[in-house]
Amino acid sequence: GFGPRQPLKSRPHPFSSPLHSSLVFPQGANRRQLLATLRALEVASVPQQPPSLPGSDSEEEEEVVGTKKKRTKKGLFAGASSEVEEKRKKKRHKQGPPSSDSKEEEVERKKCHKGVLLGSDLAEEEKKKRKCQKQIPSNLAQPLDSVDQTDSKAWNSSATSDLTKPTCETPSSNPPHTLSRKQWRNRQKNKRRQKNKFRPSQPPEQAPAPASAEEAEVPSAPSPDSHGARAEALRARMAQRLDGARFRYLNEQLYSGPSSAAQRLFQEDPEAFLLYHRGFQNQVKKWPLQPVDRIARDLRQRPASLVVADFGCGDCRLASSIRNRVHCFDLASLDPRVTVCDMAQVPLEDESIDVAVFCLSLMGTNIRDFLEEANRVLKPGGLLKVAEVSSRFEDVRTFLGAVTKLGFKVISKDLTNSHFFLFDFEKTGPPRVGPKTQLSGLKLQPCLYKRR
């Protein structure tokens, strides 16, 4: 019923057409079914087609063939059956106007075709979407619906070119440069700066523009009261510097001259002693331990019947800290209990006191006169307590040797404090050297304060 068989050389092979040359078919029942479909397609294409307008059918067939060539093997295998139906639809379209049923069938076919194409790579598409969402910042990322729409458009546009490599890029060729939140803020700040930089200056006649939120936070101009407070603070600071300068000058005079000259200085200017004492207290209060408190603690452990003489008492702090009777001597008076005199000549009888105290008061160039006067008024076996700034001693042993030649012996010494040294001497008798003998160990370094 099929007619005489043709020779093998002249009979065309069913898969020799350009349409079938690039196909790779599966094995088994699917292969047989596909071969039957292709044979039916070949038989249907043998009858002569009716003439058509130039450039209509040929162009459509060329487009179909071109799209089929561009498709990959996987896409052609998935849409082989749909192509057969597509050709039949086109033939029907040429023969007559399409009906509503044919339109509905075509829409359903397109949906099925899209499902076939997208169903195989659905998992891979989801992975690509997740990667895209991670790469795009949260503040610049598009909504999820727009991402899905762009992805679907990209799939539709690239279905004929590349079905195995879906991309997560946007349709535009140049992707937008993503900025972080900090970069965006810096860019906005630079824009505002450039805008203010080239803004023309406002003439003084015009009223000022309303202040923005940032300008409203700037504090207003200081009021006259603040100007007055600032001026008062400046005056106080300058007065403090002036007092510091005068204190350094008075301190230098006390260490560089004899006690008689210092006494005349304070008699001529009584306020100078008050200023010097205030500056001295400001310096000593920075110490971890004041020597007068240490001496008072030692004397409280002794009998209260002992009579004490405080040479250079200042504000009588020692007399206020112990129960003993205390004779207070200084170059000027800050307390009614103070006897104003030169410490080299105190108004006391010989051998009338039990304890003599020099607390940071071995000042001037006549230290030997102070110690000889203390030896005169002390009872035999009396106690001499000396506290001095540690930086004044070049050689402690030389100092102790010089004091012992004036009729004393060393009982104890405390060199552990970082600011002052403390010595205890006991009177052994009158000085063992004459008044013309030089005692180099009694020359202590002046305690001068530098300008801060």
Side-chain angles (χ1 to χ4, degrees):
F2 292 94
R5 296 177 59 88
Q6 297 180 3
L8 296 175
K9 294 182 180 180
S10 61
R11 186 175 59 183
H13 195 272
F15 305 113
S16 62
S17 62
L19 180 62
H20 308 137
S21 60
S22 61
L23 296 178
V24 176
F25 300 98
Q27 302 294 332
N30 294 334
R31 177 179 180 135
R32 288 192 298 270
Q33 183 178 1
L34 185 59
L35 290 176
T37 304
L38 292 175
R39 287 173 183 171
L41 178 62
E42 187 175 0
V43 171
S45 62
V46 170
Q48 186 176 1
Q49 297 179 357
S52 60
L53 295 175
S56 61
D57 297 342
S58 60
E59 290 179 359
E60 292 180 359
E61 291 179 357
E62 288 177 0
E63 290 178 359
V64 172
V65 172
T67 55
K68 290 179 181 179
K69 287 183 179 180
K70 291 181 182 179
R71 290 180 182 176
T72 58
K73 298 177 182 180
K74 186 176 181 180
L76 289 174
F77 172 71
S81 59
S82 62
E83 291 174 1
V84 176
E85 295 178 1
E86 185 177 1
K87 279 196 171 186
R88 292 177 180 176
K89 295 289 183 179
K90 288 182 179 180
K91 290 178 183 179
R92 295 173 185 175
H93 179 69
K94 292 175 184 179
Q95 294 176 2
S99 61
S100 60
D101 297 339
S102 63
K103 290 183 179 180
E104 293 178 358
E105 291 177 0
E106 187 176 357
V107 171
E108 291 179 359
R109 180 188 57 78
K110 288 183 179 180
K111 291 182 180 180
C112 295
H113 179 61
K114 187 184 296 185
V116 170
L117 293 177
L118 298 178
S120 59
D121 297 331
L122 184 59
E124 186 176 357
E125 180 185 0
E126 293 179 355
K127 292 181 180 179
K128 294 294 182 179
K129 287 183 180 179
R130 292 174 184 174
K131 290 182 180 179
C132 295
Q133 292 176 359
K134 291 181 180 179
Q135 292 177 0
I136 299 174
S138 60
N139 59 341
L140 298 176
Q142 297 178 351
L144 185 61
D145 299 338
S146 62
V147 173
D148 296 339
Q149 292 177 4
T150 54
D151 289 342
S152 62
K153 290 180 181 179
W155 274 96
N156 293 332
S157 62
S158 62
T160 59
S161 61
D162 191 0
L163 299 176
T164 60
K165 296 181 180 180
T167 58
C168 62
E169 297 179 355
T170 57
S172 61
S173 59
N174 298 328
H177 177 64
T178 59
L179 297 176
S180 64
R181 187 180 297 273
K182 187 175 182 181
Q183 291 175 345
W184 184 82
R185 289 179 179 174
N186 292 339
R187 179 170 293 183
Q188 296 298 326
K189 189 183 295 182
N190 293 335
K191 288 182 180 179
R192 288 195 298 269
R193 288 178 179 175
Q194 292 295 332
K195 185 177 180 180
N196 296 333
K197 181 178 179 181
F198 297 102
R199 180 181 296 176
S201 59
Q202 186 177 4
E205 293 79 12
Q206 296 180 2
S212 60
E214 296 180 355
E215 295 177 355
E217 296 177 359
V218 178
S220 59
S223 60
D225 295 339
S226 63
H227 280 296
R230 184 178 299 177
E232 187 67 24
L234 180 60
R235 283 194 295 269
R237 187 164 57 252
M238 296 302 295
Q240 184 178 3
R241 291 184 178 180
L242 182 61
D243 292 345
R246 293 184 64 187
F247 165 74
R248 288 191 297 272
Y249 169 76
L250 294 174
N251 185 73
E252 185 177 355
Q253 294 297 319
L254 293 177
Y255 279 101
S256 60
S259 57
S260 58
Q263 184 180 9
R264 288 194 300 271
L265 175 63
F266 291 133
Q267 286 177 354
E268 294 173 359
D269 188 5
E271 294 182 359
F273 183 78
L274 178 62
L275 188 148
Y276 171 79
H277 187 266
R278 184 167 60 247
F280 175 78
Q281 291 297 328
N282 291 334
Q283 297 295 329
V284 174
K285 71 181 181 181
K286 301 176 184 177
W287 295 4
L289 176 63
Q290 295 194 21
V292 65
D293 296 334
R294 172 67 183 278
I295 294 173
R297 186 180 64 184
D298 294 345
L299 293 179
R300 280 195 292 267
Q301 297 176 0
R302 297 178 180 271
S305 59
L306 298 179
V307 180
V308 181
D310 188 2
F311 292 79
C313 62
D315 57 354
C316 300
R317 182 170 180 173
L318 179 63
S320 303
S321 303
I322 58 178
R323 296 175 296 171
N324 304 68
R325 180 186 176 186
V326 181
H327 298 280
C328 302
F329 304 105
D330 212 331
L331 299 174
S333 176
L334 294 176
D335 191 275
R337 293 171 288 182
V338 177
T339 301
V340 179
C341 64
D342 185 0
M343 290 184 297
Q345 298 175 358
V346 294
L348 288 178
E349 298 179 358
D350 297 345
E351 300 180 356
S352 59
I353 61 173
D354 299 299
V355 181
V357 177
F358 287 87
C359 182
L360 305 178
S361 57
L362 289 180
M363 307 170 70
T365 57
N366 57 336
I367 296 177
R368 178 174 179 174
D369 298 338
F370 300 158
L371 296 178
E372 288 178 349
E373 184 68 7
N375 183 281
R376 182 186 70 82
V377 298
L378 274 173
K379 297 178 181 179
L383 180 64
L384 172 64
K385 298 183 74 67
V386 177
E388 268 301 331
V389 180
S390 57
S391 60
R392 299 190 64 190
F393 297 94
E394 291 183 352
D395 190 354
V396 176
R397 185 174 299 179
T398 305
F399 173 76
L400 297 179
V403 175
T404 56
K405 292 179 181 180
L406 296 178
F408 298 96
K409 71 175 182 179
V410 181
I411 299 176
S412 65
K413 59 181 178 180
D414 185 3
L415 309 178
T416 59
N417 196 282
S418 59
H419 291 76
F420 63 90
F421 293 159
L422 186 63
F423 306 98
D424 288 349
F425 302 93
E426 183 181 350
K427 178 182 177 180
T428 58
R432 293 179 293 176
V433 295
K436 296 182 179 181
T437 304
Q438 297 292 331
L439 299 177
S440 60
L442 297 178
K443 293 181 179 180
L444 303 180
Q445 296 293 326
C447 182
L448 303 179
Y449 297 94
K450 297 181 181 180
R451 180 179 179 182
R452 300 296 180 183

